[in-house]
Amino acid sequence: LNLKVLELRVGLLRQHQYLEIEQEDGNEVAMTMVFQSLDTPYRMWAEEERVRKYNTFFGPGCWAQVVKISAEEKLVGIKLTTGTPPPAPAPAAAVAAEEAA
């Protein structure tokens, strides 16, 4: 995976850690690529513009989201799920969900 293309090449200590594959509702499949990101904060990975780039980079037929795996270990995941993305939450709901995480 070329992180430079996704504009996430800040710092030298970013490493791919592992992959998780799981079955989602509706017979969809999700794959989460987990990275240790010592120098790039989660909020940068999760910027709306970057998530749009992930969707474009990984192609049609799947959609991307960024998940915080472990704040303590600075692990972040890019989760790719087949199918159609769910509707975007209302702004207040998105803020409340982030604060709860």
Side-chain angles (χ1 to χ4, degrees), residues 5-70:
V5 171
L6 297 176
E7 297 179 9
L8 286 169
R9 203 170 164 99
V10 178
L12 301 173
L13 300 178
R14 185 176 306 99
Q15 295 181 10
H16 177 257
Q17 298 295 303
Y18 58 91
L19 290 174
E20 289 182 351
I21 298 176
E22 56 193 324
Q23 184 78 32
E24 295 287 313
D25 293 337
N27 278 341
E28 301 298 344
V29 177
M31 176 182 76
T32 304
M33 299 171 285
V34 178
F35 298 89
Q36 185 171 42
S37 185
L38 300 177
D39 298 318
T40 304
Y42 169 82
R43 66 175 161 33
M44 182 179 252
W45 285 78
E47 288 173 348
E48 189 174 325
E49 183 177 326
R50 290 182 192 279
V51 174
R52 280 195 301 270
K53 283 185 179 187
Y54 307 152
N55 286 323
T56 302
F57 182 81
F58 292 105
C62 70
W63 55 280
Q65 67 185 112
V66 176
V67 291
K68 189 182 293 185
I69 305 295
S70 169

Side-chain angles (χ1 to χ4, degrees), residues 83-96:
T84 306
V95 170

Side-chain angles (χ1 to χ4, degrees), residues 65-83:
Q65 67 185 112
V66 176
V67 291
K68 189 182 293 185
I69 305 295
S70 169
E72 184 178 285
E73 296 178 54
K74 298 197 180 236
L75 296 178
V76 62
I78 297 177
K79 182 176 183 178
L80 304 174
T81 305
T82 60

